[in-house]
Amino acid sequence: MAVEGIKVNREIERVSGLSELDFHTQYFLKAKPVIITDATDDWPARSWTIPSLVQRVGDNQVWIRGQTNKEDYRVGRAYTIRKDTFANYCADLLKGNARARSSYLAVASMQQAFPQLLDDLPLPKYLNNYGKLHLGPYMWVALKGHYEFCHYDPDDNFLIMLQGRKQVRLFGIDLESLYPNPLGSHGKTVQSRVNCDQPDFDTFPKFRAATCEWCILQPGEMLFIPAFYWHQVTALDTGISVNTFYGDPGEEAFISKLFSRPYSQHFYYWFLNIVEQNREYKSFDKIVSRLPEVVKHFFLKQWHETISEEN
């Protein structure tokens, strides 16, 4: 489950009975991953199965990624997208047919795609007093064997396993060793060019210096992934997971930490990637001329925070 040939592999700590304050001080503020084993014991969503969800929300429309079994997907370069019913996607999934092996229901907004299920899915208690929701929750439904490209997100993240198991590998905040795709690459995340299952050390020699923190996430367990932390996820079973993107409480606490270590280098690369994505548009020069105003609006939409003059 670890990565052969790299500097360090270690398992992620598991805890139970963790208070909100202890999580905040011992893990969140230190950007330290942790698995909380009993965080979802009373969640109605723990009873979800794919057939039971098909009965409840099978007619709902969802966006499905395609060509997810290609090497271009494994390194975050390309995939297709189509719209279909949840029932049709799950029918393929349960058959394990060719279309299922090249498809993935990813980052499906519960509010938009599955509003009927929201009451089954409370927000993690650790957001009550020491966190602030940014986006989500989202549902992910994967076929056994699906490999999700290594990437990092611009938010702190709780990944919650409901049915099945996932292997998760984290590589910290380390831009150099993970070889991000070039600035201007597609997507709201930054993807790594390294295939973590079969790393090409001749092409990516610095990957040998990476540190991998890994786990097999079991049903009911919740994994804290710090903001801007590289992560790669593989489905060990056909199953269901959800996640929530969040950050520090307050009006500008999350933005303030992005300009400090260890986050700043990954934040700058992520932001510049978005800038370069927009360079080809005719409105780019106009956007640049109004950059402070545009950035302020962008941060407000992304993280519900306002940026101060000091930042």
Side-chain angles (χ1 to χ4, degrees):
M1 301 304 173
V3 181
E4 292 186 9
I6 68 170
K7 183 179 179 181
V8 177
N9 286 284
R10 61 173 177 262
E11 289 194 55
I12 300 169
E13 180 184 3
R14 279 182 160 83
V15 300
S16 62
L18 191 64
S19 72
E20 294 177 52
L21 179 60
D22 285 347
F23 168 74
H24 186 69
T25 56
Q26 296 176 25
Y27 300 98
F28 182 83
L29 292 179
K30 296 178 180 180
K32 181 182 178 182
V34 65
I35 299 164
I36 305 171
T37 62
D38 58 352
T40 68
D41 284 353
D42 59 350
W43 288 18
R46 287 288 306 278
S47 67
W48 287 356
T49 65
I50 291 174
S52 72
L53 290 184
V54 169
Q55 287 185 340
R56 295 176 64 184
V57 295
D59 292 335
N60 292 31
Q61 295 284 315
V62 291
W63 292 102
I64 309 296
R65 293 179 184 178
Q67 298 185 3
T68 57
N69 57 342
K70 306 292 185 182
E71 183 64 18
D72 271 357
Y73 187 83
R74 285 176 165 252
V75 294
R77 279 199 296 261
Y79 58 87
T80 61
I81 192 162
R82 71 180 190 274
K83 199 169 190 178
D84 206 340
T85 65
F86 182 69
N88 284 344
Y89 172 72
C90 291
D92 288 335
L93 207 68
L94 294 175
K95 293 174 184 175
N97 59 24
R99 189 160 75 156
R101 292 192 294 273
S102 64
S103 299
Y104 185 34
L105 173 59
V107 66
S109 167
M110 297 298 298
Q111 288 91 344
Q112 297 175 16
F114 304 111
Q116 306 98 311
L117 303 177
L118 281 170
D119 288 344
D120 291 359
L121 199 65
L123 287 178
K125 70 176 184 180
Y126 302 102
L127 274 67
N128 290 342
N129 298 298
Y130 298 100
K132 182 171 69 176
L133 180 67
H134 289 169
L135 296 165
Y138 296 100
M139 185 191 291
W140 311 71
V141 183
L143 182 70
K144 179 180 179 178
H146 173 78
Y147 176 103
E148 184 67 1
F149 49 77
C150 186
H151 66 284
Y152 66 78
D153 299 293
D155 308 90
D156 294 289
N157 184 6
F158 279 128
L159 173 61
I160 301 137
M161 204 71 224
L162 296 176
Q163 291 291 323
R165 302 166 302 150
K166 283 186 171 179
Q167 170 190 281
V168 184
R169 294 182 283 199
L170 310 181
F171 298 95
I173 300 176
D174 179 359
L175 201 64
E176 188 173 75
S177 299
L178 271 291
Y179 295 88
N181 279 329
L183 290 174
S185 297
H186 172 75
K188 294 183 179 180
T189 66
V190 172
Q191 306 88 21
S192 171
R193 288 181 281 161
V194 178
N195 180 334
C196 300
D197 276 357
Q198 298 176 315
D200 181 347
F201 291 115
D202 291 333
T203 304
F204 307 115
K206 293 179 182 178
F207 186 58
R208 289 191 181 277
T211 293
C212 174
E213 300 171 85
W214 66 276
C215 71
I216 296 177
L217 199 62
Q218 303 285 344
E221 293 185 332
M222 181 166 72
L223 170 63
F224 168 57
I225 304 175
F228 296 93
Y229 231 74
W230 290 108
H231 52 286
Q232 189 281 313
V233 181
T234 299
L236 300 182
D237 305 302
T238 297
I240 307 165
S241 59
V242 294
N243 88 296
T244 298
F245 293 119
Y246 75 104
D248 304 67
E251 295 302 315
E252 58 178 69
F254 184 78
I255 290 178
S256 294
K257 83 177 183 181
L258 300 187
F259 289 91
S260 61
R261 294 180 61 85
Y263 306 97
S264 55
Q265 187 181 26
H266 273 205
F267 165 64
Y268 294 145
Y269 197 93
W270 172 81
F271 185 72
L272 288 174
N273 190 58
I274 293 173
V275 171
E276 291 302 320
Q277 288 173 354
N278 288 275
R279 186 176 292 277
E280 64 183 35
Y281 294 101
K282 293 180 180 180
S283 59
F284 182 77
D285 289 341
K286 184 176 180 181
I287 291 173
V288 171
S289 69
R290 298 170 47 245
L291 194 59
E293 177 187 350
V294 170
V295 168
K296 184 177 181 179
H297 177 76
F298 176 74
F299 286 177
L300 183 63
K301 183 178 180 181
Q302 180 74 31
W303 297 307
H304 315 299
E305 293 199 355
T306 54
I307 187 169
S308 68
E309 295 297 328
E310 294 178 1
N311 289 328

